[in-house]
Amino acid sequence: MSTAHHGMTRRTLLAGATAVAATAVAGAGTAHASDAQVPDLWREFTRTPFTHPQIPYVGRAGAARIRRLPLVADVRAYGAVADGVTDCAPAINRAIAAAARAGGGTVTIPPGTFRIDGLIQLGYDHVVLRGAGSGRTTLYATKNLTELIGPYGSRYGGTKSAWSWAGGLIWLAPKARWDSLVAAVRAQAWPFEGWTGNRRDEWEPLTPVAPARQGDRTVTVADASRLRPGRLVLLRVSDDGAHTLLQHMSGGGPGPAAYYWEDKTKLLSYVPYEWPVRVTAVRGRRVTLERPLPLDLRPEWNPQFTTHVGELTGSGVEGLTLEVMETPQSPHLLDKGYNGVVLQCAYDCWVDDVTVRNVDNGFGLVAASACTLRRTRVGGRGEHHPYFCREGSHDNLIEDFTIEERTVPAPAGTQLHGINVEGLSSYNVWSRGEMRMGTFDSHRGLPFANVRTDITVENNGRHGGDANAGPLFGARFTHWNVRVTNGRAGLMRLDGLAPYSATVGLNTVTDFDQTDVPDFTGDLHSRLELYGTWDAVRPRNLYEAQRALER
């Protein structure tokens, strides 16, 4: 496969890589700048950016652009009052519905504190809810999702509360999908949460897709009659009886081939792998996609484009703080649902300049793809998941994020994770982060091809995940330029844990507290470079450098 097929020649890539690395060294101006080094892995990557065995191509992660839509509604015109007494949730939701009837636009919330006794549901395309800034507009939430919707049990049984990993007091999801989820919860018919409905049966085939390679952007289909530029389709890839798809997601070879997959019931429930992508061109039976393929397509996996539940697209939340009334953090997996902002079945949506405080769970991506969380912050009394990324969420960007240190001691029986990823989620990026607590929470469920770059972390959280959810890591995880302030190795240094992965530019760390062993036997083919340094690797930020290659 030629890189020219993706609009980039090898010469362009190498020139861009040299410029990026040189600029980074020349402009470093921080500690260890004199020791700046370009690792062999970066030079290798620029030669094979879409098929590199250890580093994923994530240069197109995130929303295409954060838009500035015209002002169409002010929540005060619909009854919102910043008096601390009036429940403003109905007024805000009425303003959102009015913006939708107008064909989209921005709903503004002025400076002040607005009480909400209900949740805010943003379920319409091209509608933006915008405060005056996270330091000026506050929504003060008084109730949790258990009170507002009802108890939510796990579809896998037991006494766990699914509000421990689902739902938000600001919830971005297509209105019809949200209605169906709420109805299922109230009926205690615990749903699947993704792109094909509560029972994963709300889809129909569009066309089979011919064999193709990871990184291809143009594929051949059997029948392109129902495809058109701009349409969002679901690439659905099934597994075979030998679980060769799951092996492929793990890098292939003897280790994944010897792994026992059959009893990993939760992991197997995540298959087929579902990847939403927008079509950009159709020429006969040749179809070009917005993003390169995340994995190979083989006939035994029955790759096909299908329909899906309607997506939420072009919508966002900006410039506000969601402050939840302070209550004690609940015991682990019994969260009541004092949750922050969640994007679900959303594509090309965003959150910008938003802070959440005193939440059970902060920011969530649930079957969300191609979305951006920028300038987000989690603070207050401490939380279970500051960020969670699950249920097959792909190609998302979380940048300029902060997890503050908790303001009160953690109650007994609670647990802190960090920046979570699980459930076959792939090609997500966490960039330019400051984590004053938490960890890089790979939460089983075989997430693969995810990047954490340019992050400082006080590594004091713990990862989770049921044993029947399978491996912690698939292939092509990359940790690039990471500073661990307390020197704890767990989930930071990948060369002994993740198959076909890379750790580049990590300060010296040691094992203590939670210590894991690899899921796969034998040589993991995982790379370690510039270990024992911090801020010496150039380029400093792997995601930004990959984006620069396309300019």
Side-chain angles (χ1 to χ4, degrees):
M1 179 194 68
S2 169
T3 55
H5 176 71
H6 302 273
M8 286 186 278
T9 65
R10 179 176 170 181
R11 179 176 295 178
T12 299
L13 279 167
L14 290 173
T18 302
V20 168
T23 300
V25 172
T30 59
H32 305 282
S34 61
D35 300 324
Q37 299 177 57
V38 178
D40 291 340
L41 272 163
W42 175 248
R43 294 185 175 94
E44 292 174 14
F45 174 82
T46 60
R47 291 193 289 271
T48 59
F50 303 102
T51 57
H52 193 277
Q54 280 89 14
I55 298 176
Y57 179 75
V58 293
R60 296 199 175 194
R65 59 191 176 92
I66 294 178
R67 301 162 185 80
R68 290 293 174 258
L69 301 179
L71 304 180
V72 294
D74 184 315
V75 297
R76 292 173 296 186
Y78 295 84
V81 182
D83 60 4
V85 176
T86 303
D87 174 15
C88 298
I92 296 171
N93 286 322
R94 285 194 296 268
I96 290 170
R101 290 193 297 272
T106 299
V107 174
T108 58
I109 311 176
T113 297
F114 296 81
R115 174 173 170 161
I116 56 171
D117 296 336
L119 63 85
I120 306 303
Q121 208 276 307
L122 205 166
Y124 308 98
D125 293 348
H126 308 298
V127 174
V128 175
L129 182 65
R130 182 188 299 163
S134 60
R136 302 182 68 200
T137 296
T138 296
L139 302 183
Y140 181 73
T142 64
K143 294 185 179 180
N144 58 57
L145 294 169
T146 302
E147 295 174 278
L148 296 171
I149 295 174
Y152 188 178
S154 170
R155 65 178 182 252
Y156 300 103
T159 59
K160 301 171 184 177
S161 167
W163 297 129
S164 301
W165 58 77
L169 292 172
I170 301 178
W171 199 332
L172 288 79
K175 177 105 178 22
R177 185 74 182 102
W178 187 84
D179 288 343
S180 72
L181 287 164
V182 170
V185 171
R186 288 177 172 161
Q188 298 189 4
W190 314 130
F192 285 91
E193 301 157 88
W195 288 100
T196 49
N198 295 344
R199 294 180 297 276
R200 296 195 78 177
D201 59 359
E202 297 179 37
W203 64 276
E204 60 181 75
L206 293 172
T207 180
V209 183
R213 295 294 305 276
Q214 172 197 321
D216 287 349
R217 277 192 58 213
T218 299
V219 297
T220 301
V221 300
D223 179 6
S225 62
R226 298 180 66 186
L227 304 180
R228 56 174 174 74
R231 179 170 187 174
L232 188 72
V233 297
L234 201 65
L235 175 64
R236 186 176 168 92
V237 188
S238 302
D239 205 357
D240 59 12
H243 302 297
T244 59
L245 174 64
L246 295 176
Q247 293 181 43
H248 176 58
M249 292 174 175
S250 305
Y259 185 80
Y260 189 69
W261 301 96
E262 291 299 330
D263 63 346
K264 308 304 184 294
T265 53
K266 182 179 286 189
L267 172 62
L268 297 180
S269 77
Y270 299 148
V271 182
Y273 174 80
E274 296 172 339
W275 184 65
V277 65
R278 206 172 295 284
V279 172
T280 59
V282 179
R283 298 178 181 88
R285 295 193 297 117
R286 300 281 286 168
V287 178
T288 301
L289 307 174
E290 186 175 31
R291 288 174 166 79
L293 288 178
L295 37 70
D296 291 351
L297 303 182
R298 301 177 187 171
E300 58 267 32
W301 300 335
N302 188 28
Q304 57 185 316
F305 289 137
T306 74
T307 63
H308 51 83
V309 298
E311 72 273 13
L312 179 71
T313 190
S315 297
V317 177
E318 304 174 353
L320 57 84
T321 289
L322 174 67
E323 181 168 354
V324 176
M325 62 181 294
E326 187 168 349
T327 60
Q329 186 178 349
S330 296
H332 188 224
L333 298 175
L334 296 178
D335 294 346
K336 296 179 176 66
Y338 291 109
N339 295 348
V341 183
V342 166
L343 295 84
Q344 185 164 4
C345 296
Y347 191 94
D348 196 15
C349 293
W350 66 90
V351 179
D352 185 22
D353 183 26
V354 173
T355 295
V356 297
R357 299 183 61 81
N358 301 326
V359 292
D360 292 340
N361 301 280
F363 294 89
L365 296 158
V366 181
S369 292
C371 295
T372 293
L373 276 62
R374 186 175 72 180
R375 298 188 298 167
T376 56
R377 178 179 291 262
V378 184
R381 50 87 156 149
E383 57 282 331
H384 180 197
H385 296 95
Y387 292 81
F388 57 96
C389 177
R390 50 177 297 274
E391 204 76 10
S393 290
H394 316 293
D395 305 302
N396 298 294
L397 170 65
I398 301 94
E399 65 179 355
D400 298 313
F401 66 94
T402 302
I403 302 172
E404 297 179 358
E405 188 176 357
R406 65 173 69 247
T407 54
V408 298
T414 62
Q415 195 165 121
L416 165 68
H417 297 311
I419 51 174
N420 155 280
V421 61
E422 60 182 283
L424 301 186
S425 295
S426 62
Y427 293 86
N428 301 289
V429 179
W430 291 261
S431 169
R432 294 198 307 264
E434 182 181 3
M435 299 173 59
R436 301 172 196 166
M437 64 178 191
T439 193
F440 289 179
D441 174 29
S442 293
H443 210 90
R444 301 199 178 273
L446 198 67
F448 67 96
N450 296 285
V451 168
R452 292 126 170 183
T453 183
D454 201 4
I455 298 171
T456 298
V457 53
E458 176 73 5
N459 186 24
N460 59 7
R462 300 176 69 84
H463 79 73
D466 294 336
N468 63 4
L472 280 169
F473 301 96
R476 297 189 306 285
F477 261 80
T478 302
H479 291 175
W480 187 284
N481 192 21
V482 175
R483 181 190 181 202
V484 183
T485 54
N486 63 346
R488 176 176 169 238
L491 301 176
M492 302 290 133
R493 181 173 170 174
L494 296 174
D495 55 305
L497 289 175
Y500 286 94
S501 293
T503 308
V504 182
L506 173 73
N507 61 293
T508 302
V509 292
T510 56
D511 281 319
F512 60 89
D513 191 24
Q514 188 176 46
T515 303
D516 289 291
V517 297
D519 291 289
F520 303 110
T521 58
D523 186 355
L524 296 179
H525 301 280
S526 196
R527 304 275 293 275
L528 179 69
E529 265 198 90
L530 298 183
Y531 177 61
T533 70
W534 173 68
D535 203 32
V537 60
R538 297 295 181 267
R540 174 185 289 120
N541 186 294
L542 181 62
Y543 164 73
E544 292 173 359
Q546 289 193 17
R547 284 196 55 90
L549 293 178
E550 292 205 40
R551 292 173 189 159

